[in-house]
Amino acid sequence: MSDAQSPPTQEQLDRFAEQFNQSATMRHFNTRLSFPEGKKVVIAIPELRPEHRGGLGTDAVNGGILAALFDLAIGCTPALRDPSRRAATMQLSMSFERPVRGDSARVEATIDTAGTSSLFASARVYDAEGTVCARCQGVVKLSKMKWASGDSPAVN
């Protein structure tokens, strides 16, 4: 947590997301990060592109893309506690329940439990209809170090 041991403000979370959303990685994957009401991480893909697809040779989103989205969402959950501290995903366990089809998708992640140096989080992938298609649990390592670029891990 921050020095005051209080949760970050919505303004701090919005600044973190704004900087992250400007990164080349987020633009390349056509994704948007947000922290609605400061309670969860949302990764939105407003338009699924051909490069997102290819699951089993169909129009479904490829599992590798889903894994990357889970890593991104779970990896951003520490910002809900302190967006200024570095963090890294240590472990992910994913369950793919049904194909992600449609024109858009989103991932939502929340913190399950958190300590001083690690946290446990859960995430879900929703298709365009709002159906849960995949679930993930993960562990994230928290550092005492601040982000090198200031308010966000976005470096490119």
Side-chain angles (χ1 to χ4, degrees), residues 61-151:
V61 176
N62 184 280
I65 298 294
L66 297 177
L69 291 170
F70 275 140
D71 184 28
L72 175 60
I74 294 280
C76 286
T77 58
L80 294 167
R81 294 185 48 109
D82 186 347
S84 70
R85 287 174 61 186
R86 293 184 189 202
T89 306
M90 295 173 38
Q91 184 272 331
L92 294 174
S93 176
M94 297 169 274
S95 171
F96 302 109
E97 299 171 7
R98 62 182 40 90
V100 178
R101 291 197 164 96
D103 297 328
S104 63
R106 77 179 188 286
V107 181
E108 295 183 5
T110 56
I111 296 172
D112 297 329
T113 58
T116 56
S117 64
S118 62
L119 65 77
F120 297 83
S122 297
R124 293 144 314 280
V125 172
Y126 297 87
D127 65 12
E129 302 299 317
T131 302
V132 175
C133 297
R135 299 174 197 273
C136 178
Q137 292 181 310
V139 181
V140 181
K141 175 72 174 166
L142 306 171
S143 173
K144 292 180 182 176
M145 295 174 62
K146 303 290 185 183
W147 290 111
S149 63
D151 296 332

Side-chain angles (χ1 to χ4, degrees), residues 16 18-19 46 52 88 99 127 130:
F16 180 99
E18 178 184 334
Q19 291 177 355
H52 293 123
D127 65 12

